[in-house]
Amino acid sequence: MGVLKNSTYRNIISAFGIVLILSACGAVFRGQSFDVPVSEAKKILMQTEVPYDVLGSPDLRSNVIEKSPTILVWKVTLDGSEFMQFTAEVTPNNPKSTRVVVSLNGPSGGKYAAMEKALNDNVTVKNLYLAAMEEEVAAALEKRDFDMMKLTPHIMAAAGANLGTITKRLDSIDQPSREETQREKRQAMADREMAEWNAGEDDEGFDQ
């Protein structure tokens, strides 16, 4: 049993390491095959939502369109403006099997045009969003519940990669308050010295 557990832990750690390396390089392999005819797969996916819980905002909305016989597009909006879009290329492997390849892009323009660059600059986060959408697709086509545990390596990779950025942001936010505290301390010291000097002057005047 102990050997089995150690082997399982090693496999998990190895898988996590591979995800970290591939995420850092921006090279995560995409594409899944399902034992579902392509026509049925498309019907199911047209009823499938994006992974709102992972995307992180309760205000996001989406709608899916069939852009071509092999392409489905989920346009995700925030406050009425396009925020990002997931694209699924849906093609038959054979009459009873379908391959689905998911991709993610920011909008080409508009209020959230900077999202494209943000996704490309934060590859681990982009890969997390992609993995979440892939799991959404898999859960729908395999007729099962969404499995958040499958995203754990991607969540850890994204958190680790962005920890330094978060820390820098916190430091930059905290810097003005530290400077303000130092100014207050210097002012308090100057006020105290002035009060002591005035008190000394008053004492000399009283003695005379």
Side-chain angles (χ1 to χ4, degrees), residues 4-150:
L4 179 60
K5 282 186 176 180
N6 289 338
S7 175
T8 301
Y9 293 152
R10 283 197 297 271
N11 289 339
I12 292 172
I13 291 170
S14 297
F16 177 46
I18 291 170
V19 169
L20 276 175
I21 293 169
L22 292 175
S23 295
C25 297
V28 174
F29 301 104
R30 301 289 170 190
Q32 304 173 92
S33 290
F34 304 94
D35 295 329
V36 180
V38 68
S39 59
E40 182 182 345
K42 284 165 62 176
K43 287 178 183 177
I44 293 172
L45 292 178
M46 288 293 291
Q47 303 299 318
T48 302
E49 297 279 6
V50 301
Y52 293 113
D53 290 344
V54 177
L55 297 180
S57 173
D59 298 321
L60 292 174
R61 299 289 182 270
S62 72
N63 68 293
V64 58
I65 60 171
E66 186 174 358
K67 190 172 181 180
S68 76
T70 60
I71 300 293
L72 301 181
V73 176
W74 287 261
K75 291 192 175 184
V76 183
T77 60
L78 180 62
D79 301 326
S81 298
E82 187 176 345
F83 189 66
M84 62 176 69
Q85 64 175 242
F86 291 97
T87 301
E89 183 180 5
V90 187
T91 54
N93 289 320
N94 57 56
K96 295 184 178 181
S97 175
T98 300
R99 179 174 174 80
V100 181
V101 180
V102 178
S103 59
L104 170 63
N105 296 97
S108 57
K111 184 178 179 180
Y112 298 108
M115 178 56 69
E116 176 72 11
K117 183 176 186 304
L119 289 169
N120 291 332
D121 288 347
N122 295 274
V123 177
T124 54
V125 173
K126 183 176 183 176
N127 286 337
L128 170 59
Y129 291 167
L130 273 169
M133 189 62 194
E134 287 174 337
E135 173 57 16
E136 200 76 66
V137 166
L141 295 180
E142 293 172 356
K143 297 179 171 60
R144 60 172 174 81
D145 291 336
F146 185 96
D147 187 357
M148 185 66 78
M149 290 299 294
K150 292 188 176 183

